[in-house]
Amino acid sequence: MMNHNEMLLLKLGEVVLKGLNRRSFEDRLVNNVRRRLKNCGSFQICVRQSTIYVEPKTDTCDMEAAFAACQQVFGVAAVARAVPCEKTVAAIVETAKTYLGGEFAGAKTFKVESRRADKTFPMTSIQLSQAVGGELAEAFPAVAVDVHAPSLTVHVEIREKYAYVHAPAVPGAGGLPVGMGGRAVSLLSGGLDSPVSSWMMARRGVELEMVHFVSPPYTSQQAQDKVLELARLLTPYCGRMIVHIVPFTEIQEEIRKNCPEEYFTLIMRRFMMRLAQGVAKKAGAKALITGESLGQVASQTMAALGVTEDVVSLPVLRPLIGMDKVEIICISREIGTYETSILPYEDCCTVFTPRHPATRPDLDAVREAESALDVDALVEKALSGENWVRVKA
Ligand code: ATP
Ligand code: MG
């Protein structure tokens, strides 16, 4: 059980490697943490020595929820609780024994490192470390003191009201703080892949806007709601985001009417890329993200991917390109999108699918087939029919 006097310590990940950029990484991360914790209560948040300190300002803060929330913030490598106790050597030793018993069992050597925010505390940091270290050495005779290269460091902090002993850390979400990597538009379908690809790019610090193509009456309101729900499930990691809903029916009908069946899917995907790029331009986004994975379906062969991205100039990021489906499913379970993704609603990709799609398409032949359409007019019309929704946690 957590105690409301506890505080949380967030260890920065790769952020610490960023040299001159480090300040802006830290500032961004602190802001993201602050925003993420808004619903858990009022906190004092500050950075010291590659660690973010999250201290509750009131007794009403939900520390369990805050602990869980901090584990979902990209840029945080690990999260630990700091357990409060009375400001006496005896209480500090007791607390360390209780919370670090497991760590001591696995350690060969240890040291105590103390810090005093409360300078009126009667012992110096060194005296306190020696006193606590001496008692812990007696309590754990198998673990020797080594002040130079210990396998376990026990952190003690003396603050205004309490002393704190740092408890063991659990892994955080890793990656880089959202916003540091610029903005991209992610093509979000209702499938398993695109929520995972979105999450993976957000973990590299990319701020996302989503685009989703709908083809009523071939696709239903439930299918659209499912996609909005997937976006909502991603917000604890990615932050709140805009989902652009773009009408796609007319484009699909025109393709079916005027183009050879074997190219339906490819031409449709070329339109998706053009529309996504149109949305990106307006959003100031510098890349597109898809959930494509090499060889997964006919439109994801190397040749097909080349035909698809032929129509856009923005980089197309495909974080799943080299992943197996089982790995993708594993991530979707971990991040909590799996159960929603497998709900059986249709996607516009699944209507008008050709019986024999071209797997080794020739770019010139596809361009030629597509020239039966007024591409610019169709794109412009679809973009003018765009709606957007802001999705929050
Ligand atoms: P997913 O599981 O993400 O649906 P998929 O393996 O079913 O992917 P496709 O249906 O060929 O593959 O789609 C490939 C990618 O195109 C998707 O990962 C997604 O990024 C994008 N996409 C497909 N359908 C839509 C849609 N209706 N709206 C927006 N993007 C889409
Ligand atoms: Mg799909």
Side-chain angles (χ1 to χ4, degrees), residues 251 267 270-271 274-275 311 367 369-382:
I251 288 172
I267 295 176
R270 284 160 66 91
F271 273 94
R274 291 184 181 103
L275 294 171
V311 295
R367 284 178 176 164
E370 197 180 62
S371 68
L373 306 173
D374 186 344
V375 171
D376 293 344
L378 286 168
V379 167
E380 198 177 314
K381 195 163 167 207

mmCIF file of all heavy atoms in Angstrom, residues 251 267 270-271 274-275 311 367 369-382:
data_model
loop_
_atom_site.group_PDB
_atom_site.id
_atom_site.type_symbol
_atom_site.label_atom_id
_atom_site.label_comp_id
_atom_site.label_asym_id
_atom_site.label_seq_id
_atom_site.Cartn_x
_atom_site.Cartn_y
_atom_site.Cartn_z
ATOM 1 N N ILE A 251 -13.963 8.454 -53.455
ATOM 2 C CA ILE A 251 -12.699 8.005 -54.051
ATOM 3 C C ILE A 251 -12.749 6.506 -54.339
ATOM 4 O O ILE A 251 -12.412 6.044 -55.427
ATOM 5 C CB ILE A 251 -11.520 8.360 -53.126
ATOM 6 C CG1 ILE A 251 -11.272 9.873 -53.161
ATOM 7 C CG2 ILE A 251 -10.255 7.597 -53.516
ATOM 8 C CD1 ILE A 251 -10.270 10.393 -52.154
ATOM 9 N N ILE A 267 -4.123 1.854 -55.685
ATOM 10 C CA ILE A 267 -4.556 3.222 -56.007
ATOM 11 C C ILE A 267 -5.243 3.843 -54.794
ATOM 12 O O ILE A 267 -5.029 5.017 -54.467
ATOM 13 C CB ILE A 267 -5.455 3.212 -57.259
ATOM 14 C CG1 ILE A 267 -4.626 2.763 -58.472
ATOM 15 C CG2 ILE A 267 -6.084 4.585 -57.496
ATOM 16 C CD1 ILE A 267 -5.402 2.606 -59.761
ATOM 17 N N ARG A 270 -2.626 4.996 -52.483
ATOM 18 C CA ARG A 270 -1.993 6.234 -52.960
ATOM 19 C C ARG A 270 -2.852 7.442 -52.578
ATOM 20 O O ARG A 270 -2.331 8.488 -52.182
ATOM 21 C CB ARG A 270 -1.776 6.171 -54.479
ATOM 22 C CG ARG A 270 -0.592 5.281 -54.859
ATOM 23 C CD ARG A 270 -0.647 4.819 -56.304
ATOM 24 N NE ARG A 270 -0.502 5.889 -57.298
ATOM 25 C CZ ARG A 270 0.655 6.295 -57.828
ATOM 26 N NH1 ARG A 270 1.793 5.743 -57.432
ATOM 27 N NH2 ARG A 270 0.701 7.245 -58.751
ATOM 28 N N PHE A 271 -4.167 7.261 -52.664
ATOM 29 C CA PHE A 271 -5.039 8.366 -52.238
ATOM 30 C C PHE A 271 -4.919 8.612 -50.737
ATOM 31 O O PHE A 271 -4.913 9.752 -50.282
ATOM 32 C CB PHE A 271 -6.494 8.079 -52.626
ATOM 33 C CG PHE A 271 -6.834 8.539 -54.016
ATOM 34 C CD1 PHE A 271 -6.759 7.669 -55.098
ATOM 35 C CD2 PHE A 271 -7.207 9.861 -54.258
ATOM 36 C CE1 PHE A 271 -7.047 8.099 -56.387
ATOM 37 C CE2 PHE A 271 -7.499 10.299 -55.545
ATOM 38 C CZ PHE A 271 -7.424 9.422 -56.614
ATOM 39 N N ARG A 274 -1.872 10.706 -50.169
ATOM 40 C CA ARG A 274 -2.061 12.107 -50.590
ATOM 41 C C ARG A 274 -2.905 12.869 -49.567
ATOM 42 O O ARG A 274 -2.593 13.996 -49.196
ATOM 43 C CB ARG A 274 -2.776 12.165 -51.936
ATOM 44 C CG ARG A 274 -1.979 11.666 -53.115
ATOM 45 C CD ARG A 274 -2.803 11.896 -54.382
ATOM 46 N NE ARG A 274 -2.110 11.421 -55.561
ATOM 47 C CZ ARG A 274 -2.395 10.277 -56.189
ATOM 48 N NH1 ARG A 274 -3.371 9.497 -55.756
ATOM 49 N NH2 ARG A 274 -1.710 9.919 -57.266
ATOM 50 N N LEU A 275 -3.993 12.224 -49.126
ATOM 51 C CA LEU A 275 -4.881 12.898 -48.167
ATOM 52 C C LEU A 275 -4.159 13.103 -46.829
ATOM 53 O O LEU A 275 -4.279 14.169 -46.213
ATOM 54 C CB LEU A 275 -6.155 12.073 -47.960
ATOM 55 C CG LEU A 275 -7.075 11.966 -49.196
ATOM 56 C CD1 LEU A 275 -8.178 10.948 -48.951
ATOM 57 C CD2 LEU A 275 -7.669 13.330 -49.546
ATOM 58 N N VAL A 311 3.582 8.980 -54.304
ATOM 59 C CA VAL A 311 2.773 10.191 -54.483
ATOM 60 C C VAL A 311 2.989 11.246 -53.396
ATOM 61 O O VAL A 311 2.344 12.292 -53.409
ATOM 62 C CB VAL A 311 1.259 9.849 -54.543
ATOM 63 C CG1 VAL A 311 0.973 9.008 -55.776
ATOM 64 C CG2 VAL A 311 0.816 9.132 -53.277
ATOM 65 N N ARG A 367 0.350 4.241 -62.403
ATOM 66 C CA ARG A 367 0.128 5.658 -62.726
ATOM 67 C C ARG A 367 -0.819 5.791 -63.916
ATOM 68 O O ARG A 367 -1.727 6.626 -63.914
ATOM 69 C CB ARG A 367 1.456 6.337 -63.076
ATOM 70 C CG ARG A 367 2.329 6.635 -61.880
ATOM 71 C CD ARG A 367 3.629 7.258 -62.370
ATOM 72 N NE ARG A 367 4.501 7.671 -61.286
ATOM 73 C CZ ARG A 367 5.793 7.959 -61.451
ATOM 74 N NH1 ARG A 367 6.350 7.879 -62.649
ATOM 75 N NH2 ARG A 367 6.524 8.334 -60.427
ATOM 76 N N ALA A 369 -3.073 3.592 -64.928
ATOM 77 C CA ALA A 369 -4.429 3.180 -64.532
ATOM 78 C C ALA A 369 -5.113 4.307 -63.748
ATOM 79 O O ALA A 369 -6.308 4.569 -63.904
ATOM 80 C CB ALA A 369 -4.364 1.919 -63.684
ATOM 81 N N GLU A 370 -4.332 4.992 -62.947
ATOM 82 C CA GLU A 370 -4.876 6.046 -62.093
ATOM 83 C C GLU A 370 -5.254 7.292 -62.900
ATOM 84 O O GLU A 370 -6.082 8.097 -62.463
ATOM 85 C CB GLU A 370 -3.801 6.401 -61.050
ATOM 86 C CG GLU A 370 -4.291 7.163 -59.860
ATOM 87 C CD GLU A 370 -3.111 7.443 -58.922
ATOM 88 O OE1 GLU A 370 -2.164 8.147 -59.336
ATOM 89 O OE2 GLU A 370 -3.131 6.938 -57.796
ATOM 90 N N SER A 371 -4.634 7.448 -64.049
ATOM 91 C CA SER A 371 -4.874 8.667 -64.831
ATOM 92 C C SER A 371 -6.306 8.739 -65.367
ATOM 93 O O SER A 371 -6.730 9.766 -65.894
ATOM 94 C CB SER A 371 -3.858 8.782 -65.962
ATOM 95 O OG SER A 371 -4.102 7.756 -66.914
ATOM 96 N N ALA A 372 -7.063 7.659 -65.207
ATOM 97 C CA ALA A 372 -8.485 7.693 -65.565
ATOM 98 C C ALA A 372 -9.278 8.567 -64.586
ATOM 99 O O ALA A 372 -10.443 8.888 -64.832
ATOM 100 C CB ALA A 372 -9.047 6.276 -65.579
ATOM 101 N N LEU A 373 -8.641 8.939 -63.470
ATOM 102 C CA LEU A 373 -9.353 9.706 -62.429
ATOM 103 C C LEU A 373 -8.877 11.160 -62.407
ATOM 104 O O LEU A 373 -7.742 11.446 -62.753
ATOM 105 C CB LEU A 373 -9.080 9.091 -61.054
ATOM 106 C CG LEU A 373 -9.365 7.600 -60.888
ATOM 107 C CD1 LEU A 373 -8.884 7.124 -59.517
ATOM 108 C CD2 LEU A 373 -10.866 7.333 -61.058
ATOM 109 N N ASP A 374 -9.759 12.033 -61.943
ATOM 110 C CA ASP A 374 -9.330 13.414 -61.705
ATOM 111 C C ASP A 374 -8.792 13.475 -60.263
ATOM 112 O O ASP A 374 -9.519 13.806 -59.314
ATOM 113 C CB ASP A 374 -10.506 14.375 -61.899
ATOM 114 C CG ASP A 374 -10.055 15.837 -61.807
ATOM 115 O OD1 ASP A 374 -8.925 16.090 -61.310
ATOM 116 O OD2 ASP A 374 -10.825 16.713 -62.213
ATOM 117 N N VAL A 375 -7.546 13.123 -60.132
ATOM 118 C CA VAL A 375 -6.951 12.920 -58.805
ATOM 119 C C VAL A 375 -7.043 14.183 -57.945
ATOM 120 O O VAL A 375 -7.514 14.146 -56.796
ATOM 121 C CB VAL A 375 -5.473 12.470 -58.942
ATOM 122 C CG1 VAL A 375 -4.791 12.462 -57.584
ATOM 123 C CG2 VAL A 375 -5.409 11.094 -59.580
ATOM 124 N N ASP A 376 -6.610 15.307 -58.492
ATOM 125 C CA ASP A 376 -6.578 16.536 -57.691
ATOM 126 C C ASP A 376 -7.959 16.924 -57.175
ATOM 127 O O ASP A 376 -8.114 17.313 -56.014
ATOM 128 C CB ASP A 376 -5.993 17.694 -58.510
ATOM 129 C CG ASP A 376 -4.520 17.472 -58.809
ATOM 130 O OD1 ASP A 376 -3.915 16.611 -58.127
ATOM 131 O OD2 ASP A 376 -3.988 18.136 -59.716
ATOM 132 N N ALA A 377 -8.944 16.792 -58.049
ATOM 133 C CA ALA A 377 -10.298 17.183 -57.637
ATOM 134 C C ALA A 377 -10.815 16.260 -56.534
ATOM 135 O O ALA A 377 -11.428 16.721 -55.560
ATOM 136 C CB ALA A 377 -11.244 17.153 -58.840
ATOM 137 N N LEU A 378 -10.562 14.974 -56.683
ATOM 138 C CA LEU A 378 -11.020 14.018 -55.661
ATOM 139 C C LEU A 378 -10.343 14.290 -54.320
ATOM 140 O O LEU A 378 -10.979 14.240 -53.263
ATOM 141 C CB LEU A 378 -10.728 12.578 -56.119
ATOM 142 C CG LEU A 378 -11.651 12.029 -57.220
ATOM 143 C CD1 LEU A 378 -11.086 10.727 -57.783
ATOM 144 C CD2 LEU A 378 -13.072 11.819 -56.690
ATOM 145 N N VAL A 379 -9.055 14.585 -54.363
ATOM 146 C CA VAL A 379 -8.310 14.860 -53.124
ATOM 147 C C VAL A 379 -8.850 16.123 -52.461
ATOM 148 O O VAL A 379 -9.125 16.156 -51.252
ATOM 149 C CB VAL A 379 -6.794 14.998 -53.419
ATOM 150 C CG1 VAL A 379 -6.061 15.600 -52.234
ATOM 151 C CG2 VAL A 379 -6.205 13.651 -53.777
ATOM 152 N N GLU A 380 -9.011 17.141 -53.268
ATOM 153 C CA GLU A 380 -9.479 18.410 -52.718
ATOM 154 C C GLU A 380 -10.860 18.267 -52.080
ATOM 155 O O GLU A 380 -11.122 18.774 -50.988
ATOM 156 C CB GLU A 380 -9.525 19.447 -53.839
ATOM 157 C CG GLU A 380 -9.569 20.876 -53.342
ATOM 158 C CD GLU A 380 -9.528 21.853 -54.509
ATOM 159 O OE1 GLU A 380 -8.680 21.646 -55.415
ATOM 160 O OE2 GLU A 380 -10.363 22.774 -54.536
ATOM 161 N N LYS A 381 -11.733 17.527 -52.769
ATOM 162 C CA LYS A 381 -13.091 17.358 -52.258
ATOM 163 C C LYS A 381 -13.088 16.577 -50.939
ATOM 164 O O LYS A 381 -13.774 16.953 -49.986
ATOM 165 C CB LYS A 381 -13.946 16.629 -53.302
ATOM 166 C CG LYS A 381 -15.418 16.723 -53.024
ATOM 167 C CD LYS A 381 -16.238 16.374 -54.245
ATOM 168 C CE LYS A 381 -17.692 16.180 -53.839
ATOM 169 N NZ LYS A 381 -18.383 15.264 -54.772
ATOM 170 N N ALA A 382 -12.311 15.507 -50.903
ATOM 171 C CA ALA A 382 -12.249 14.711 -49.667
ATOM 172 C C ALA A 382 -11.710 15.561 -48.513
ATOM 173 O O ALA A 382 -12.250 15.539 -47.406
ATOM 174 C CB ALA A 382 -11.382 13.477 -49.882
#
